[in-house]
Amino acid sequence: MELLGVHMRVDAVGNLRGFYPAAQPNSPRLLIGSHLDTVPNAGAYDGVLGVVLAIALLEGLQGRRLPFGIEVVGFSEEEGVRFGTPFIGSRALVGRLDQKLLDVHDAQGISVRKAIENFGLNPDEIPQAELQKDTLGYLELYIEQGPILEKLNLPLAAVEAIAGQSRLEFAFLGRANHAGTTPMHLRCDAITGAAEWISAVERLAHEVPGLVATVGKIEAKPGAANVIAGEARLPLDIRHGSDEIRLRAVNDLIREAHEIAARRGLSVRESVLLNQAAVAMDSFLTAEIEKAILKTGCKPHRMVSGAGHDAMILAEKVPAAMIFLRTPGGISHHPAESVAVEDVERAIECGLHLLDQLASSPESYKRIKRA
Ligand code: GLV
Ligand code: MN
């Protein structure tokens, strides 16, 4: 970025930001970015490809200045691995990184506030990370992370909406005891209660069309082969294009957890870490992306993203849009995640067409800052 004459800074929540100025001072700005964090045992493209592509678009301008500036953002903490809560970096831009979120702890008991301080940043400066009043919109380029574009034999797509998601944490509490001496009918085994509930989660997700529900991890205490588990903690990640269906499923699964626990002499506690509504992408920007895809010689396609993205947070305040790149094998959140070089080349070409279209469209400027 510095080679392109762009000064970089780190905002108070750890987002990396650089501003490429417009042809004239006091012009509006377009944000382009994605996130820099990732999941355990991840692939190399989820998130970071979008940041690299934003920089590639600036490079592609070859020094040309547009009627708007471009701010490249590399967001922190999108995945929610460390604190169980995703989108922490982008929430700062829309003014939604509140005290409650700053108090959330990681597995070591370190709060978001403390983690920010340990990184040498000042959480009291988070309000300064908020979006500028002159923001035209937000653009994010991303791998699809699914099989649809590959099946359709298409390299690129415009995202029309992002599915809503909830994240919860459940703790089944029983009584730890000796594995050899405690008869089966006298046990209060937290792990078997959790296991029964996990099966109920899978069953419900099979029954409700379009619902996806995942328990990606389980922690048992005290955690030994010869001790009945006194405690089992597990997260629930649940998503659907309809918020109503998702929230109904969340309620059903909470009720089911309590029924299973009661029948087994256990108790259960749940906490809701995230209820993120489904979000439509901006219709003007999405239509412009389709035109730009056509200019690259490809057939435009519109699709819903099952994965969550920072774009769904930015969309609360500014017009937001996304371009998807085909993902070989539909594999993501896995080391085998990949992308074809030719598709990356097309995405850059598409992005450059889009920037030119926005630069010459009066409609782009009518849309500055909804909030
Ligand atoms: C982000 O990768 C998500 O969980 O959708
Ligand atoms: Mn991801």
Side-chain angles (χ1 to χ4, degrees):
M1 289 288 280
E2 276 161 9
L3 287 177
L4 297 168
V6 175
H7 170 70
M8 295 305 299
R9 69 186 175 98
V10 179
D11 71 17
V13 70
N15 299 317
L16 208 49
R17 300 168 73 161
F19 183 63
Y20 179 83
Q24 308 287 337
N26 303 321
S27 301
R29 72 179 64 199
L30 176 71
L31 264 63
I32 311 181
S34 193
H35 66 94
L36 293 169
D37 63 312
T38 190
V39 293
N41 201 34
Y45 301 96
D46 174 355
V48 72
L49 177 69
V51 183
V52 173
L53 281 173
I55 299 169
L57 290 179
L58 292 193
E59 243 174 0
L61 289 174
Q62 298 181 316
R64 212 153 47 87
R65 302 283 170 186
L66 300 175
F68 47 83
I70 296 177
E71 182 171 357
V72 173
V73 192
F75 286 109
S76 66
E77 285 296 323
E78 186 265 0
E79 302 278 6
V81 173
R82 180 169 177 187
F83 296 99
T85 306
F87 311 123
I88 295 178
S90 47
R91 277 174 65 160
L93 269 72
V94 299
R96 227 169 25 93
L97 210 178
D98 50 20
Q99 196 53 47
K100 191 166 158 237
L101 182 49
L102 284 172
D103 287 341
V104 170
H105 287 75
D106 69 6
Q108 271 69 49
I110 298 169
S111 66
V112 173
R113 168 179 288 281
K114 191 78 191 119
I116 289 172
E117 284 167 358
N118 291 348
F119 195 67
L121 299 168
N122 180 358
D124 296 337
E125 291 172 4
I126 286 173
Q128 291 157 35
E130 278 185 43
L131 283 167
Q132 312 267 337
K133 295 261 182 290
D134 61 354
T135 305
L136 276 180
Y138 173 71
L139 173 68
E140 185 162 357
L141 292 102
Y142 219 100
I143 50 170
E144 177 205 336
Q145 306 183 274
I148 293 169
L149 289 178
E150 187 172 68
K151 287 264 171 332
L152 293 171
N153 197 22
L154 295 174
L156 301 174
V159 175
E160 58 184 349
I162 303 177
Q165 55 173 288
S166 297
R167 285 204 203 177
L168 291 89
E169 184 164 274
F170 286 77
F172 285 79
L173 306 168
R175 200 171 49 243
N177 208 340
H178 198 291
T181 59
T182 317
M184 294 310 286
H185 69 286
L186 293 179
R187 296 178 177 213
C188 292
D189 185 340
I191 271 196
T192 50
E196 185 180 342
W197 178 74
I198 293 170
S199 298
V201 170
E202 189 187 39
R203 197 164 49 245
L204 183 74
H206 277 295
E207 279 166 16
V208 179
L211 187 71
V212 283
T214 308
V215 177
K217 126 181 153 177
I218 182 159
E219 270 169 30
K221 281 188 189 162
N226 60 351
V227 185
I228 297 161
E231 183 176 332
R233 288 185 172 273
L234 52 167
L236 172 69
D237 175 311
I238 184 163
R239 311 181 189 210
H240 198 279
S242 152
D243 293 332
E244 196 191 325
I245 295 175
R246 173 176 48 86
L247 293 172
R248 197 180 317 131
V250 168
N251 285 336
D252 287 351
L253 290 173
I254 291 175
R255 201 187 50 246
E256 185 116 20
H258 285 270
E259 282 169 13
I260 291 169
R263 189 163 19 83
R264 289 171 165 270
L266 308 169
S267 64
V268 66
R269 282 199 310 256
E270 74 281 342
S271 53
V272 179
L273 297 173
L274 177 80
N275 265 327
Q276 174 62 51
V279 173
M281 295 289 92
D282 183 74
S283 56
F284 167 75
L285 288 178
T286 304
E288 291 299 314
I289 289 172
E290 287 184 313
K291 285 186 209 160
I293 292 176
L294 255 180
K295 287 183 192 157
T296 66
C298 301
K299 186 168 157 240
H301 177 71
R302 282 188 180 215
M303 61 184 295
V304 173
S305 171
H309 294 291
D310 293 304
M312 73 198 301
I313 304 300
L314 274 289
E316 292 171 22
K317 288 279 170 86
V318 292
M322 291 191 74
I323 300 173
F324 267 178
L325 284 77
R326 155 168 64 192
T327 305
I331 296 170
S332 185
H333 283 183
H334 187 277
E337 183 181 271
S338 69
V339 70
V341 173
E342 310 80 67
D343 292 354
V344 172
E345 196 177 344
R346 285 195 189 97
I348 295 171
E349 195 188 332
C350 171
L352 288 170
H353 285 308
L354 179 66
L355 292 180
D356 283 336
Q357 287 164 220
L358 297 182
S360 60
S361 157
E363 177 67 18
S364 332
Y365 305 96
K366 287 195 204 136
R367 320 166 54 71
I368 295 177
K369 188 116 171 130
R370 274 195 216 127

